Amino acid sequence: MNVWIAIGLTVVGCYAVKLAGLLVPAGALERPVVRRLAALLPVALLAALTAQQTFSTGQALVVDARAAGLAAAGLALLLRAPFLVVVAAAVVVTAGVRALGG
């Protein structure tokens, strides 16, 4: 029964957040600061998620093959490679480091 209560509270919470977003006046969204924040916030959140997924395992901070794959992806991005090449470089380098025992 506790699971259904949690699901119900989550549904109500999600609906409330969506409703709050719809109730924001259009003038507030047109401000330059809000526009700049809206443009930069997804990039910052994605960078934080990438760092957390790359350098942590549970509660421990680790540097393993994932870090090498991230470095390869970063290098491919610096060289302006297409997205699929960036992903392929990260996968190949990560798999290679793991195969070599890292």
Side-chain angles (χ1 to χ4, degrees):
M1 188 65 171
N2 290 337
V3 172
W4 288 109
I5 292 171
I7 291 171
L9 290 174
T10 303
V11 167
V12 170
C14 288
Y15 185 76
V17 168
K18 185 168 182 101
L19 183 62
L22 292 173
L23 294 176
V24 173
L29 300 175
E30 297 298 324
R31 295 180 182 162
V33 173
V34 174
R35 285 180 176 244
R36 218 171 336 158
L37 182 64
L40 295 176
L41 195 59
V43 175
L45 290 173
L46 185 58
L49 179 63
T50 301
Q52 190 270 334
Q53 290 292 316
T54 301
F55 298 112
S56 71
T57 300
Q59 297 293 325
L61 183 65
V62 295
V63 177
D64 58 4
R66 295 176 293 179
L70 182 62
L75 180 63
L77 283 172
L78 284 174
L79 296 174
R80 300 193 182 268
F83 179 72
L84 289 177
V85 174
V86 172
V87 173
V91 168
V92 168
V93 170
T94 302
V97 169
R98 285 184 177 167
L100 294 173

